[in-house]
Amino acid sequence: MFYLESDEVDQLVEAADGFRDKLIIRILVSTGMRRSECISLRLRDVEPDQKYILIYERKNDDYRKVGFRSDKLARDLQMWIDHYRQQEYGAAESDYLFPPDGKGKSDHLGETVVRDIVVEAAERVGIQDDYGTDALGRTQHLVTPHALRATFAVQCAKNGIPAPMVKEALGHHSLNVTDIYTSVIDDDAANMIRRDGPSF
């Protein structure tokens, strides 16, 4: 399983183009949401001042509430909603957090756009790596939105958040899936905590 270290996340955010792209990366890594969930966020689902986001789950036609810790993310979300979002194509007609970019027929940003934001930022900062091609001959990259989801889960585990709570945040239906991420800390817990643990 591939995930990023904290300094790599900072580099990735910095390398992203523009306020929207930086915000998207910060949301993905701070909440562990899937890219499909990110583009489906509606304005009413986001509470920057309360530091939580409601994520709609199509599978069970319900919402899960995901908190986030970052004051920077809270400020950036509020700035996006109050200022930057209004300058985006289609913002006036869309109730989605990320309105369409005008390149497709959707009323919100596309999943491919989100993937490209992450992949291209990683290439610019020099932390991208390829590991082959898929059945259609497309290059497979290590740093993707899913890697940001894994980064969120691993960092939660490193910070001592119990696996059942990480499971809820990720929207997993089985703890066995979550254990894939949280088992990383079993490899060498003492060294990981010494290297990545809280430092006050």
Side-chain angles (χ1 to χ4, degrees):
M1 175 201 22
F2 179 79
Y3 66 94
L4 299 175
E5 297 295 342
S6 296
D7 62 324
E8 293 174 316
V9 171
D10 292 340
Q11 293 171 29
L12 190 68
V13 171
E14 186 61 33
D17 279 338
F19 193 89
R20 181 200 69 182
D21 295 2
K22 291 177 190 304
L23 177 61
I24 286 171
I25 291 172
R26 199 177 297 282
I27 287 172
L28 292 172
V29 78
S30 295
T31 65
M33 72 176 68
R34 299 169 179 94
R35 66 180 168 160
S36 62
E37 294 168 337
C38 182
I39 64 171
S40 299
L41 290 173
R42 295 180 187 266
L43 288 168
R44 67 175 181 254
D45 300 333
V46 182
E47 290 290 340
D49 56 332
Q50 301 296 316
K51 291 187 177 177
Y52 76 81
I53 296 173
L54 294 174
I55 300 173
Y56 179 69
E57 295 183 323
R58 289 187 184 107
K59 288 181 183 176
N60 57 4
D61 191 32
D62 199 6
Y63 286 85
R64 73 179 189 275
K65 186 176 185 177
V66 177
F68 58 88
R69 181 178 173 193
S70 171
D71 291 333
K72 173 84 172 133
L73 176 55
R75 284 191 304 271
D76 286 355
L77 274 168
Q78 198 62 62
M79 285 184 8
W80 173 256
I81 292 166
D82 292 344
H83 178 67
Y84 291 103
R85 182 187 176 279
Q86 298 168 19
Q87 301 169 20
E88 294 288 310
Y89 172 89
E93 298 82 29
S94 176
D95 64 344
Y96 288 93
L97 183 64
F98 297 107
D101 59 2
K103 297 178 182 169
K105 296 181 179 179
S106 177
D107 50 356
H108 57 69
L109 201 60
E111 283 189 47
T112 304
V113 175
V114 173
R115 185 179 194 290
D116 290 347
I117 287 168
V118 175
V119 167
E120 291 168 11
E123 288 171 350
R124 278 194 289 280
V125 80
I127 60 171
Q128 187 60 272
D129 202 3
D130 305 333
Y131 63 89
T133 56
D134 67 10
L136 298 175
R138 297 175 296 202
T139 302
Q140 298 294 293
H141 303 285
L142 277 180
V143 183
T144 63
H146 190 75
L148 299 184
R149 184 169 162 82
T151 300
F152 167 82
V154 169
Q155 291 300 325
C156 284
K158 286 181 180 183
N159 289 340
I161 298 173
M165 292 182 179
V166 177
K167 171 189 166 289
E168 289 301 315
L170 292 172
H172 287 158
H173 297 290
S174 167
L175 198 55
N176 292 339
V177 178
T178 308
D179 285 342
I180 293 167
Y181 300 114
T182 58
S183 66
V184 168
I185 64 169
D186 294 336
D187 294 340
D188 190 352
N191 285 336
M192 284 189 172
I193 290 170
R194 188 172 65 240
R195 186 184 73 219
D196 299 311
S199 176
F200 299 105

